[in-house]
Structure formats: structure tokens, C-alpha cells
Amino acid sequence: MKTVEAKDLQRTLNWRVILYAKPGTGKTTCVKYLPGKTRIFDLDNSAKVLAGISNVTVDEMDRTHPEEDMKQYLEHASELIVGYDNLVIDNVSSFEKDWFVEKGKGSHNGISNELQDYSQWTNYFSRVMTAIYALPVNVLTTAWETQRQITTENGQQFNQYAPEIRQSVMDGMLGLCDVVGRLIINPKTNGRGVMLQGNDSIYAKNRLDNRTMCAAKDLFKFGSGNDDKTN
């Protein structure tokens, strides 16, 4: 057990952020706004949009062997991030789909997933994210967007936008993060913004500062005049 005085804690040291949106909205492009050196574990081969950026290093996953490649990456992750300020896991929704596709190949018919695959995924993914979040570096995780049905305390049901990941692991992943933001595009200006405050129809949260929404280019400017958050 480690004991730390609250006065010595640093709110934005090694932050954990999840950014989700519809495919093609610009999640990966937001990596260019990260200050410092960044290393990306590209899970869906979309890092090509960052071509020409000098402070970014890309490790591409072998999507035909997702579990084996993730295992190898985690074994060397602490070495790979030396000298880097940020680690980007891009994107976990794609990784989940590839993982289930590979598991399906080992089923009786070579296509369908078996019941044990779903329970195995819950424990497996939790271990993966725990290992990643234990690294001494800022971590940005991206995901696609989906809608899930939620029920409020008074029994009302809503469709809520949230990261596209199985419900069995979603709450655990979101709970470990400091910020969960939904990236959207303004149809009038084509400008990109990030929603940082949630409601019944959108899952979002921000425990690093008081911003409820910001321009995509300002997402990682935590505490910029908004560092008085107390809850």
C-alpha cells in the first residue's frame, strides 16, 4: 500500500482520457494536439492521417493476431514509452471486433463465437486496460460511438451515446478514466468540439477541470483557467 498526502497529489499527472465518436469524425487526428512526444499503438490502421507529424511514433497491430500482438506489446510497453509523454491506444472498438473474429475461427463452425468467449473477453480486456493504465505516461484511448439503453432511478429509459465496447467491460473502463469526451462536428462550421459533461443522452465526464465542452484543439489543455474543480 502506498500513502500520499493529498496536498502532494497532482491532478493532471499521467491523466487517462477516452475520446469517442462516429468513424471518420477525427479521433485519430486529435493526436496532433497532444503536447510533447507521443507513441501510438494503432489497432485499426488509421494512423496514416498523422503522416508528416514529427513528434509521433506509430506501432501497428497485426489485426490477424490481435491477442498475440497485444500480449507482445504489453510485455515491452514499459520500454517502448521511455522518452514519451503520451501513449495513444487507437481504437479499442476495432480491437474488440478483431478479437472476437479470431476467437470465432476456433469455434466448431469456424465463424460463430461460443459462450465462453464472452466471459473470457470481460476478464481479458480488464487486464489489458489495467496494464496500460499502470504505465507512467498520459494515456489517450479512442473508440467508436454507439447508443446503449439506460434506465434511470425513476424507471425512465433513454438511448445514451457512449463508447462502442461491450457493456460487460464498458463501465469498468469508463470508471478508471479522468475524462470521457464525445467528439462531434458542428454542421454549420465543420469545427470539431468535445463534449465533456454527460447527461441521460450522452456519456461524458471531466474530473480534471471545470470545462463542459471545448474545441478539439484545446482538449488536452487541462486546467487552463479552469483548475478549481472540487468534485
Side-chain angles (χ1 to χ4, degrees), residues 41-73:
F41 192 20
D42 184 6
L43 307 183
D44 66 349
N45 307 128
S46 62
K48 62 182 67 177
V49 300
L50 301 171
I53 298 179
S54 59
N55 64 336
V56 174
T57 301
V58 180
D59 301 299
E60 294 186 348
M61 166 169 277
D62 179 358
R63 298 184 63 183
T64 62
H65 300 92
E67 186 169 348
E68 294 86 346
D69 220 35
M70 179 62 77
K71 181 177 183 294
Q72 183 179 16
Y73 184 84

Side-chain angles (χ1 to χ4, degrees), residues 33 71 94 117 146 152 171 180 195 201 207:
Y33 303 128
K71 181 177 183 294
S94 174
D117 293 338
T146 190
T152 63
D171 290 337
V180 179
M195 305 186 71
S201 61
R207 63 187 186 195

Side-chain angles (χ1 to χ4, degrees), residues 153-229:
E153 294 180 355
N154 60 10
Q156 289 183 299
Q157 291 186 330
F158 294 90
N159 286 326
Q160 182 186 66
Y161 288 105
E164 185 178 341
I165 198 80
R166 289 190 65 81
Q167 185 69 43
S168 60
V169 298
M170 182 189 296
D171 290 337
M173 182 179 73
L174 300 182
L176 291 173
C177 284
D178 301 304
V179 173
V180 179
R182 182 190 181 214
L183 180 67
I184 58 174
I185 297 178
N186 186 321
K188 295 182 179 180
T189 65
N190 287 325
R192 292 178 173 85
V194 183
M195 305 186 71
L196 299 172
Q197 179 171 288
N199 52 41
D200 288 334
S201 61
I202 297 171
Y203 189 100
K205 74 174 186 179
N206 177 13
R207 63 187 186 195
L208 295 183
D209 56 36
N210 283 334
R211 294 176 298 169
T212 59
M213 191 165 184
C214 69
K217 63 183 178 65
D218 297 326
L219 174 60
F220 307 108
K221 297 177 181 178
F222 301 117
S224 302
N226 301 283
D227 56 356
D228 58 342
K229 189 173 181 63

Side-chain angles (χ1 to χ4, degrees), residues 67-112:
E67 186 169 348
E68 294 86 346
D69 220 35
M70 179 62 77
K71 181 177 183 294
Q72 183 179 16
Y73 184 84
L74 292 178
E75 288 175 347
H76 300 283
S78 58
E79 304 166 19
L80 293 173
I81 63 169
V82 172
Y84 288 85
D85 303 289
N86 315 296
L87 172 63
V88 180
I89 308 299
D90 185 36
N91 83 57
V92 292
S93 303
S94 174
F95 175 62
E96 180 182 74
K97 293 182 184 302
D98 289 342
W99 188 90
F100 275 102
V101 167
E102 285 307 298
K103 288 295 181 182
K105 292 179 180 179
S107 66
H108 294 300
N109 62 14
I111 299 176
S112 303

